[in-house]
């Protein structure tokens, strides 16, 4: 027995010595290969690109990792205690590796066949930042050595801060601040003890045990954390009991109602990637835009409502899909889920599957399994599909996938996904700051930004720029021009012979320019352009930001036959709104890095004479004309809806109602609304106009954006006078020579020259005679 004992002790001692030698050799070999931990002196975790409105509402987040770096002193003590209690109770007592915890893990594994680890918080930091997740002895030794080095170089608090910001916690959330937002929708500073315990339970299995994927296992882990906190003396039994009873309000798996500014966020993302490359997604940039959250929400709602109202006037196109439905039970639920998977909701426009249908009632079901009844007015659009002889592709029957929405009265109605698209943009004419931008009906369905990328014909909304050029050539709002038929050969149009018509098909004879613009008379505008010359007008419109090449110098330019974007139109109308100054639309106001240091900041905009592109009196008279359009002309519905005397605007409808516009402004807001199809075609068999389709979008936005904004009076410049209720330039108003049909007036001192002609000067006798010749 003694011999056996001696042999046993000798073998054990030899084994221990051999193990120590092996470990020593391993350390000697591995130590030179360890990464330099000094990189943590300037710890910069990957943080996503975040984009905000001017009033700090998050509108976009881009990056593989959601992370909000939070200093240790801003992390609640309950959160720190919960993590320490469950991950490393002796964190502040060991030197990086915990021998007691290691021994406990070995015993537990031997006794119960468990796979309990013994990694301390420090070792986890070493693994997360420097090592792989492979389970080998070499990696474990490297982890331990790095832990000792981290403890030697950094204090406990610094290591804990890095851990709390670095660790992965499921659903793309890295760090506990991001996890708090992801799971509870609140800042980390606001979490309760119960919520902190739930979050602290995530590091063990973040993908499988998070409360969204597996609420039951997440709850069990939360209770375990609370028990460990009580055992460690961090909380009392009463606190633990109260936390266990506290109901947790989890954030919905899908984002809660959010500010819809996806087109803006994507525009900024592209800009940032162009500037910083892939680092745009990892350096924690914060981009502040000029958007105002309330204005953006109003614009999104107005455009959605306008397009859905338009759909209510269109023919029924039939269900989106037909599926075979089992009788009932789990098989029915699975079939409904499968059918709806390919037809995602579009906010308030929900997808549903029909269970039963007749002429008076449709019963449909959503993924939650609750039947929904649609009756009465809710069936109006789909009525052709409920007729006994409805075509198979139109029929609303069992298994049809349809769209439904709640009415303001709380009932359900059947709708259909709009095929037409739209755009709305609003900016402040005083500095060009974009306040709202909606590039389409649904970003998830169509990422094409119609505000900045859609080049469309502006139709009659372009006429004010021709009128502005005419004012510079001597026309006045009281100038009489004949609204009579015209015919032009191909030389005048640049393409083929042209016999233009007014929208209503009739002709009203001689009328003033003011009345012609109010009624949007095409014949008058063409005669005006013919008088001042298409080349002159082409040069003039470049002052507003339009591209010369997109507006050929032919007579159809008078009716908006060129190409513009809604953003371009917003900048152009801003010139009228601000008194004649060109402002560039601007969206980004500030860019900061993860530490809050300002990298880019837009300078303030000053409207001085260097930015002037048209005379003040020209802008004033044009505002007066555009105010008349709203008060007495094609835009009167805007005044009826808003009842403000500081509104100005112009409708626009292209040939065959392919594009509809409303462009208008109040002195603090320019708004442009456009609606059309991506592949141009007529907007409905009856045709639509800017007044019927785009104007309601504009008024819907302005009703919200101008709430509480006082009515702005029109400031009259010294260079204009009013005679018999009409505005004239003061140097050739009635009674000033040629303006009263005499021929004795002489041009004033020449203003700046445009296309060889004086701009803003008194017209010459020859130009006056050409104007008079229009009255025939």
């Amino acid at each position: 027995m003694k011999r056996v004992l001696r042999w046993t002790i000798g073998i054990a001692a030899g084994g221990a010595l051999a193990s120590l030698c092996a470990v020593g050799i391993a350390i000697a070999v591995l130590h030179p290969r360890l990464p330099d931990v000094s990189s943590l002196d300037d710890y910069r975790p990957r943080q996503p690109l975040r984009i905000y409105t001017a009033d700090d509402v998050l509108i976009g987040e881009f990056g593989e990792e959601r992370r909000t770096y939070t200093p240790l002193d801003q992390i609640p003590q309950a959160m720190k205690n919960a993590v320490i209690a469950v991950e490393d109770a002796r964190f502040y007592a060991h030197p990086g590796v915990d021998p007691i915890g290691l021994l406990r893990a070995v015993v537990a594994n031997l006794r119960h066949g468990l796979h309990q680890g013994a990694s301390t918080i420090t070792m986890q930091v070493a693994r997360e930042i420097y090592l792989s997740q492979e389970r080998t002895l070499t990696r474990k030794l490297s982890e331990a050595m790095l832990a000792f080095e981290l403890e030697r170089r950094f204090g406990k608090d610094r290591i804990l801060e890095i851990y709390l910001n670095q660790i992965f916690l499921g659903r793309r959330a890295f760090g506990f601040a991001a996890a708090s937002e992801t799971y509870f929708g609140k800042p980390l500073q606001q979490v309760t003890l119960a919520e902190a315990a739930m979050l602290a339970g995530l590091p063990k299995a973040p993908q499988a045990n998070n409360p969204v994927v597996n609420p039951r296992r997440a709850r069990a882990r939360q209770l375990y954390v609370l028990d460990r906190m009580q055992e460690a003396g961090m909380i009392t039994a009463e606190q633990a009991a109260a936390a266990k009873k506290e109901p947790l309000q989890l954030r919905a798996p899908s984002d809660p109602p959010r500010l819809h500014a996806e087109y803006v966020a994507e525009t900024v993302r592209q800009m940032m990637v162009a500037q910083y490359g892939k680092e745009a997604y990892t350096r924690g940039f914060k981009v502040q835009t000029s958007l105002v959250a309330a204005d953006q929400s109003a614009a999104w709602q107005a455009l959605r409502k306008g397009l859905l109202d338009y759909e209510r006037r269109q023919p029924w196109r039939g269900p989106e899909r037909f599926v075979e439905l089992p009788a009932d039970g789990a098989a029915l639920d699975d079939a409904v889920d499968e059918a709806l998977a390919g037809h995602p909701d579009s906010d308030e426009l929900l997808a549903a599957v029909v269970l039963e249908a007749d002429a008076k009632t449709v019963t449909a079901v959503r993924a939650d399994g609750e039947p929904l009844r649609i009756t009465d007015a809710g069936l109006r659009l789909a009525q052709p599909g409920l007729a006994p002889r409805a075509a198979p592709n139109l029929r609303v029957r069992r298994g049809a996938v349809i769209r439904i929405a709640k009415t303001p009265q709380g009932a359900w109605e059947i709708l259909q996904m709009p095929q037409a698209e739209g755009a709305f943009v609003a900016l402040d004419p005083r500095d060009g700051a974009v306040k709202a931008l909606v590039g389409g009906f649904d970003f998830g369905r169509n990422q094409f930004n119609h505000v900045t990328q859609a080049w469309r014909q502006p139709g009659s909304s372009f006429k004010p720029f021709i009128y502005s050029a005419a004012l510079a050539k001597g026309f006045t709002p009281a100038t009489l021009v004949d609204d009579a038929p015209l015919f032009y050969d191909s030389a005048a149009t640049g393409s083929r012979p042209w016999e233009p018509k007014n929208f209503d098909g009739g002709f009203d004879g001689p009328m003033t320019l003011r009345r012609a613009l109010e009624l949007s008379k095409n014949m008058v505008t063409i005669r005006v352009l013919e008088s001042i010359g298409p080349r002159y007008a082409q040069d003039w419109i470049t002052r507003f930001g339009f591209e010369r090449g997109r507006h050929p110098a032919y007579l159809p330019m008078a009716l908006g036959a060129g190409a513009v974007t809604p953003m371009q139109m917003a900048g152009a109308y801003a010139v009228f709104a601000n008194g004649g100054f060109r402002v560039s639309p601007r969206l980004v106001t500030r860019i900061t890095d993860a530490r809050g240091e300002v990298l880019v900041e837009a300078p303030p905009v000053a409207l001085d004479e260097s930015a002037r592109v048209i005379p003040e009196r020209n802008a004033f008279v044009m505002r007066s004309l555009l105010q008349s359009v709203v008060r007495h002309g094609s835009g009167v519905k805007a005044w009826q809806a808003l009842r403000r005397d500081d509104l100005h605007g112009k409708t626009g409808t292209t040939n065959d109602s392919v594009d509809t516009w409303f462009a208008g402004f109040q002195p603090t807001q320019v708004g442009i609304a456009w609606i059309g199809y991506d592949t141009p075609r007529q907007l409905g068999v009856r045709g639509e106009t800017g007044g019927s389709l785009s104007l309601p979008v504009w008024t819907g936005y302005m009703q919200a954006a101008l709430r509480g904004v006082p009515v702005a009076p029109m400031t009259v410049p010294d260079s204009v006078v009013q005679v018999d209720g009409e505005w004239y330039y003061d140097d050739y108003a009635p009674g000033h020579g040629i303006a009263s049909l005499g021929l004795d007036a002489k041009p004033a001192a020449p203003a700046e020259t445009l296309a060889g002609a004086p701009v803003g000067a008194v017209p010459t006798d020859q130009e006056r005679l050409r104007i008079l010749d229009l009255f025939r």
Side-chain angles (χ1 to χ4, degrees), residues 569-592:
M569 289 289 277
Y573 268 80
V575 176
F576 294 142
N578 64 28
F581 301 97
R582 175 85 178 275
V583 291
S584 298
R586 58 180 188 141
L587 188 59
V588 173
T589 58
R590 176 184 293 184
I591 302 173
T592 57

Side-chain angles (χ1 to χ4, degrees), residues 485-771:
L486 291 168
F487 177 81
Y488 296 98
D489 59 22
S490 57
T493 64
S495 57
R496 56 179 181 269
W498 182 39
E499 187 175 5
K501 303 290 184 182
N502 286 318
F503 184 81
D504 59 7
F507 304 96
D508 293 336
M511 62 178 61
T512 66
L513 255 62
R514 181 177 294 276
R515 188 59 180 161
L517 189 61
E518 290 173 357
L519 300 179
S520 198
K521 289 293 186 177
N522 293 341
M523 302 303 104
V524 172
T525 311
I526 294 169
R527 282 189 166 90
V528 168
L529 179 59
E530 187 176 27
S531 175
I532 65 175
R535 182 69 63 186
Y536 176 83
Q538 184 190 46
D539 290 334
W540 181 266
I541 65 170
T542 62
R543 294 171 166 243
F544 298 87
F546 296 117
E547 299 175 25
R548 187 190 310 272
R550 293 186 182 270
H551 301 270
Y554 295 100
L555 293 179
M557 178 173 61
L559 308 186
V564 301
T565 67
M567 183 67 87
Q568 227 179 27
M569 289 289 277
Y573 268 80
V575 176
F576 294 142
N578 64 28
F581 301 97
R582 175 85 178 275
V583 291
S584 298
R586 58 180 188 141
L587 188 59
V588 173
T589 58
R590 176 184 293 184
I591 302 173
T592 57
D593 62 15
R595 297 181 175 183
E597 295 182 5
V598 177
L599 304 178
V600 177
E601 187 159 23
V605 175
L607 295 184
D608 55 32
E609 289 305 309
S610 65
R612 179 172 295 284
V613 291
I614 64 173
E616 182 183 15
R617 62 184 184 178
N618 187 298
F620 173 81
V621 174
M622 285 308 306
R623 286 199 300 275
S624 170
L625 290 172
L626 292 170
Q627 187 181 50
S628 290
V629 173
V630 172
R631 289 301 302 270
H632 311 293
S634 60
V636 69
K637 289 182 180 178
W639 186 86
Q640 291 171 345
L642 298 172
R643 298 289 175 175
R644 297 177 63 107
D645 291 332
D646 56 352
L647 303 179
H648 315 73
K650 182 69 185 74
T651 53
T653 309
T654 62
N655 284 347
D656 298 323
S657 299
V658 171
D659 298 277
T660 70
W661 297 77
F662 188 81
F665 58 89
Q666 187 268 353
T668 64
Q669 287 264 7
V670 173
I672 307 294
W674 166 85
I675 289 177
Y677 288 99
D678 279 342
T679 301
R681 61 186 174 93
Q682 187 176 10
L683 284 159
V685 293
R686 294 186 302 274
E688 297 276 357
T689 67
S692 68
L693 191 50
S694 294
L695 187 150
V697 175
W698 188 87
T699 58
Y701 170 78
M702 288 295 180
Q703 282 175 329
L706 298 180
R707 189 174 294 121
V709 177
V711 174
M714 284 186 67
T715 303
V716 181
D718 295 337
S719 52
V720 299
V721 295
Q722 193 172 43
V723 179
D724 296 329
E726 188 54 271
W727 294 105
Y728 299 87
Y729 289 179
D730 64 347
D731 47 4
Y732 56 94
H736 289 68
I738 196 169
S740 59
L741 303 188
L743 298 178
D744 56 341
K746 301 298 180 184
E752 61 179 302
T753 300
L754 183 66
V759 175
V762 172
T764 64
D765 294 350
Q766 183 180 5
E767 288 170 335
R768 273 298 182 187
L769 289 173
R770 291 178 63 192
I771 295 171

Side-chain angles (χ1 to χ4, degrees), residues 10 47 99 149 151 195 211 215 252 322 336 346 354 369 372 390 432 446 468 494 505 591 653 674 706 754 760 766 770:
Q47 299 185 59
E149 184 65 17
E151 292 274 349
E195 292 167 341
F322 296 96
V336 169
S346 178
V354 174
L372 306 170
N446 186 351
S468 173
I591 302 173
T653 309
W674 166 85
L706 298 180
L754 183 66
Q766 183 180 5
R770 291 178 63 192

